[in-house]
Amino acid sequence: MKLDPFYLIVDSAAWIERLVPLGVRLVQLRIKDRDEVTLRTDIRRANGVCAVHGCQLIVNDYWRLAIEEGCDYVHLGQEDLAAADLLAIKYAGLKLGLSTHDHAELETALAAEPDYVALGPIYPTSLKKMKWAPQGLERISKWKHRVAPIPLVAIGGLNPDRLDSVFEAGADSAAVVTDITLNDDPETRTREWIERTEKWR
């Protein structure tokens, strides 16, 4: 399996409607603290936009809704993984991505036989307070050696100028949140990410 090297993460269907038509091929919908009606509506909207534009949608956390709405990818953190019904996810045909931050989490993730593994934060990040120190490029190489041939996603503090180093270290895909969503011109920044990751496709 191959992931697009540009892995966009946003928190609403509105962002997906805004940015996916620019040429985004891989996007995660990561919504926190919303009621089920809002979640289902956003997942449905996002799935429709992604289908039209040939973009792969990954639903974060809400694997039951992802199954019910006919999505084909779900991403889980370690806490969500512990509470998830992996048999139901696999029986529904969903592909599974898992977050990791240390060796123990990596072993837990690999035992679940995921379709990709994410490692972060690679660099300091402003998105949320992390109990883990920045992983650095060397950890990417070590993780890739451990997980191959499963795709490895790098996340945390990434920007276009750091992409070559991240991919050369062994990442298959680079995930981004705030470098785009907090940018003064998210559309232009998205196009820059698409252009800068093109050679890694």
Side-chain angles (χ1 to χ4, degrees), residues 98-123:
L98 297 174
S99 294
T100 66
H101 306 88
D102 57 36
H103 288 283
E105 291 190 350
L106 178 59
E107 294 306 317
T108 298
L110 291 177
E113 300 181 347
D115 293 282
Y116 74 82
V117 168
L119 169 67
I122 304 305
Y123 296 98

Side-chain angles (χ1 to χ4, degrees), residues 88-170:
I89 291 170
K90 291 185 181 295
Y91 183 77
L94 267 71
K95 291 182 171 60
L96 176 66
L98 297 174
S99 294
T100 66
H101 306 88
D102 57 36
H103 288 283
E105 291 190 350
L106 178 59
E107 294 306 317
T108 298
L110 291 177
E113 300 181 347
D115 293 282
Y116 74 82
V117 168
L119 169 67
I122 304 305
Y123 296 98
T125 176
S126 60
L127 179 61
K128 56 185 177 180
K129 188 173 183 178
M130 291 277 195
K131 67 179 182 180
W132 298 277
Q135 306 280 356
L137 298 175
E138 184 178 348
R139 181 64 67 90
I140 294 176
S141 299
K142 291 179 178 178
W143 248 236
K144 182 58 182 178
H145 179 75
R146 182 72 179 84
V147 307
I150 300 171
L152 177 64
V153 177
I155 184 171
L158 303 187
N159 60 47
D161 292 334
R162 290 171 166 168
L163 289 175
D164 284 353
S165 296
V166 165
F167 288 119
E168 287 165 2

Side-chain angles (χ1 to χ4, degrees), residues 32 60-61 75-83 97-101 105:
K32 301 292 184 181
N60 187 65
D61 291 350
H75 182 95
L76 301 176
Q78 293 281 318
E79 290 183 3
D80 299 295
L81 171 61
L98 297 174
S99 294
T100 66
H101 306 88
E105 291 190 350

Side-chain angles (χ1 to χ4, degrees), residues 54-74:
C55 178
Q56 176 62 62
L57 174 67
I58 299 174
V59 175
N60 187 65
D61 291 350
Y62 301 104
W63 57 270
R64 290 185 182 88
L65 289 176
I67 291 173
E68 292 170 8
E69 291 301 319
C71 301
D72 51 17
Y73 253 104
V74 66

